[in-house]
Amino acid sequence: MRDAQATTIYLKDYQVPDFLIDRTALHFEIFDSHTLVHSTLAMRRNPAAKNASAPLVLDGCELELEALSIDDQAVTESGYESAGESLTIHTVPDSFTLRCTTRIYPQNNTSLEGLYKSSTMYCTQCEAEGFRKITYFLDRPDVMSVYTVTVDADSKRCPVLLSNGNLVSTETLEGGRHRAVWEDPHKKPAYLFALVAGDLERVSDTFTTMNGRKVDLHIYVEEKDLDKCDHAMLSLKNAMTWDEEVYGREYDLDIFNIVAVDDFNMGAMENKSLNIFNTSCVLASPGTTTDAGFQRVEGVVAHEYFHNWSGNRVTCRDWFQLSLKEGFTVFRDAEFSADMGSRVVKRVEDVGLLRTAQFAEDAGPMAHPVRPDSYMEISNFYTVTIYEKGAEVVRMIHTLLGPELFRKGSDLYFDRFDGQAVTCEDFVKAMEDASGMDLGQFRLWYSQAGTPQVDARGEYDAEANTYTLTFKQSCPKTPGQPQKEPFHIPIAMGLLGDAGALRLELKGEAPNPDTADNTHTVLHLKQAEQQFVFENVPEKPVPSLLRGFSAPVKLQFDYSRDELLFLMQHDDDGFNRWEAAQQLGVLALKELVAAHQNNEVRALDERLITAGRNLLNDDSLDLAMVALMLTLPTEAYMAEVMQPVDVLSIHAARMQARLELATALKEEFTNTYRTLSRRQGDYQPSAEQIAQRSLKNLCLQYLMLLNDEHSLQVCMEQLDTSDNMTDRIAALVALVNSEHEPQKALALQKFYQDWQHEPLVINQWFQIQATSHLPGTLKRVQELLNHPAFEIRNPNKVRAVIGAFCGQNAVNFHQTDGAGYRFLADRVIELNTLNPQIASRLLGPLSKWRKYLPEQQALMKAELERIAAEPKLSRDVFEVVSKSLAD
Ligand code: B3K
Ligand code: ZN
């Protein structure tokens, strides 16, 4: 474990590297007890470096150095200095060959960074700074090198030997060993290096690119999982086609490999031509995977593939620029998923994540800009801000430029910077140069943290036939940023009249001759306060603002409930129809929360029940939309709009509202459930079938709240007879959250017996129990930690039990005696030594302690202090804990 060092790295201190590495030859000798890494680096001084006689400082972490030479002259111990994470050689020529041998122990590497063992296979994870755990190197993304990799291992235990690029030779060695040599013609930073050695089987296919290059596609998995690769393979081919059609980007090698690994810190990794995936993001089959799982596989496969251009061909100059590749690539994968399935559903899901997780991060102690100014541990910056807000920033550029100019901009960006390591500024400049649009003020989205608040009001002048929208924007202070400048905020909007959308004539602007449809526009909000006047407005309109969630802001407009009901039915923007339903739900839930806090009895606003009935009775509506609009705002979203957060009252209010809806609409839910249960044909993860299942299962969840025999029977039948995991899991969730104790216990037991040989299914089984909102869940979670299927070293299991309990089960995590907080702190302390990245990630729910009620704050803070007092904290945990406790 790397010890905590309170060193902060600043963007302003960036300097070009003093040395370059033109060629890298690595030779791995993998043995059971250890691995030897022999590296040969062709190095020279960087002509652009400031200091022409700088010493050579290499990165290296937890390495045993066995040999070191420069131009075949051994460097003796007095010739170098090794301290912390670096090795310094004071005197080197201008150009030289550095050879070095390190000894590492992959089987003991529980951090899952560098070269490690996941069950019987060897694999790597080098982003961001894992390569330095393999050998001494210039482990920074602006040092790009051409790699040749030789791997020797036991032929039986590791019949498959993979690395980046093309396989150039194989050889049988003495002693039952063999060798493979791989060469990657594209220069790349060390974080994209990968190696896999193990006993794997593969599924193969081919793809022919737009210029006729035939690419071999392989997915490597354990033999038992060979039947779960079809969806990933199809997703990969769809992604390759989509990137050609939408971005003009073609794949650049003859081979593309994906490897599935059980123990993996995140979803997947875009190593050049050798993507390594968490099994949860690549394996899928109807019997074992839910709809959400299928969609995740499609999205992650596409995301990693898209990185080949947005990340690999054009990479980041330094880690402050992480969103350059991540934000852009998330935007690309979101658009791909929208094109493959339902656009509105995808947007609603993404905005849900943004408005809960990202807005909370932006308001907490770890708030940072999309391009951070500083960090202690870069692993802590793979955040929802870098990924999701970063994607929103790219989406806003797309909205401001329109699709054609955006494509011109992306073409220019890829052409201009191919093979280079660049910055967010380079990206924005390319967009500006291609479009002619001034993005000067827009750049503040990269440098200012915090979620802007936009307050809007509208005034209709019946005499003048004008409608004036006034916007005020502000942004709360965040750590290190007490003052904020106004942002350039694109507000997509329209005005609705009684008979439909109104034509828009914005005062001072000529109508756009290019748009036949003048009912939709994008306002450029740039000032702290700004007015927009619409002329020739024949009636008082209802404005539809921030369509498609055109900017990551908190918008406040005082709609009446009747106006929200009107927007729910008539807005031509699907996202905003859903948003109107959400805001209506927020108003109703706020009332119930207040009543609960005052010990009053109050009924749910009748209008929600009427609206629900109308939705369920209207055959013309899209089923996915109905399901989304019938889902009340989540507890996490309510926590965002009601601070300080009273977790227990929010939970009680939402439960009451759900029960009232279930009681009032029992007949409609029953009928809809029955109609939707009759599916035609086999299971397909198609948008249409997914919509059908999501509404059917929502009906089931509502019906199960009634706690009656009939609903129980329906639920048990679905659990026992379903042919797919989506329906089975939905039934199990409903049952586990119900009061039917004997049936629940039996069902959980049977489910375990049926699926114990499918680790990904068992993770769901863990998660369902950890997220039960009923009392006694913490005790159950503690028992689950001792379950034979639980492994603290497997991140998926940690996420399924500990992560799910602390992050998705507010009512139990925040139980008033603080036992939930104590439980989390104990797990963080345990994981701090084993896997610092996972430990630090788990801390999220505790770090936001300041937004809760005073008694909870005190208990949460005490647990953070207990962690802070631990003698040996990893840098990852140290950074989050110390920033959480800072004033
Ligand atoms: N780039 C990787 C994330 C690496 C995280 C390292 N701690 C996966 C992705 O975003 O595609
Ligand atoms: Zn990524």
Side-chain angles (χ1 to χ4, degrees), residues 26 37 39 59-61 63 100 102 131-137:
L26 301 172
V37 186
S39 84
D59 303 299
C61 178
L63 298 171
C100 127
T102 53
F131 194 78
R132 62 189 62 187
K133 290 184 152 189
I134 294 174
T135 185
Y136 288 101
F137 205 74

Side-chain angles (χ1 to χ4, degrees), residues 127 268 270 303-304 307 325-326 329-330 387:
E127 187 178 358
E270 70 265 24
H303 178 99
E304 306 311 332
H307 267 315
K325 73 177 179 80
E326 296 305 346
T329 306
V330 171
Y387 277 68

Side-chain angles (χ1 to χ4, degrees), residues 6-194:
T7 23
T8 301
I9 300 166
Y10 294 93
L11 168 59
K12 64 177 165 47
D13 294 341
Y14 173 83
Q15 287 193 353
V16 299
D18 289 327
F19 292 87
L20 302 175
I21 307 177
D22 293 319
R23 295 199 67 89
T24 298
L26 301 172
H27 178 188
F28 289 81
E29 292 187 89
I30 298 177
F31 301 102
D32 286 348
S33 56
H34 65 280
T35 292
L36 293 175
V37 186
H38 310 280
S39 84
T40 306
L41 311 180
M43 301 191 70
R44 64 186 159 98
R45 284 189 186 275
N46 182 359
K50 270 203 188 133
N51 179 356
S53 55
L56 174 63
V57 184
L58 297 164
D59 303 299
C61 178
E62 296 164 9
L63 298 171
E64 282 179 18
L65 182 61
E66 299 228 324
L68 182 65
S69 72
I70 287 188
D71 291 334
D72 291 327
Q73 292 287 304
V75 182
T76 57
E77 275 189 32
S78 60
Y80 68 89
E81 219 175 287
S82 158
E85 283 188 20
S86 63
L87 184 141
T88 305
I89 305 174
H90 289 287
T91 330
V92 291
D94 289 344
S95 165
F96 56 96
T97 300
L98 182 127
R99 280 185 222 278
C100 127
T101 297
T102 53
R103 178 188 286 253
I104 54 177
Y105 301 90
Q107 72 278 15
N108 300 336
N109 180 351
T110 57
S111 70
L112 314 187
E113 224 194 349
L115 178 65
Y116 66 94
K117 235 179 144 179
S118 174
S119 56
T120 59
M121 72 188 279
Y122 294 83
C123 63
T124 52
Q125 172 54 40
C126 293
E127 187 178 358
E129 298 180 336
F131 194 78
R132 62 189 62 187
K133 290 184 152 189
I134 294 174
T135 185
Y136 288 101
F137 205 74
L138 298 178
D139 189 7
R140 45 186 286 172
D142 56 353
V143 173
M144 298 168 81
S145 186
V146 173
Y147 285 66
T148 304
V149 179
T150 304
V151 190
D152 298 354
D154 184 87
S155 314
K156 282 223 174 64
R157 277 194 285 279
C158 297
V160 172
L161 304 174
L162 306 171
S163 190
N164 316 86
N166 302 312
L167 178 64
V168 289
S169 66
T170 56
E171 204 179 317
T172 306
L173 306 175
E174 280 177 4
R177 293 171 65 80
H178 69 147
R179 166 174 296 174
V181 181
W182 292 81
E183 232 171 53
D184 180 358
H186 296 274
K187 63 179 180 157
K188 63 172 177 285
Y191 84 86
L192 290 172
F193 163 79

Side-chain angles (χ1 to χ4, degrees), residues 829-850:
I829 291 168
E830 181 181 1
L831 279 157
N832 170 58
T833 29
L834 284 174
N835 188 331
Q837 282 183 24
I838 297 294
S840 150
R841 221 147 244 269
L842 283 179
L843 267 171
L846 265 187
S847 72
K848 300 181 187 92
W849 60 281
R850 282 193 170 90

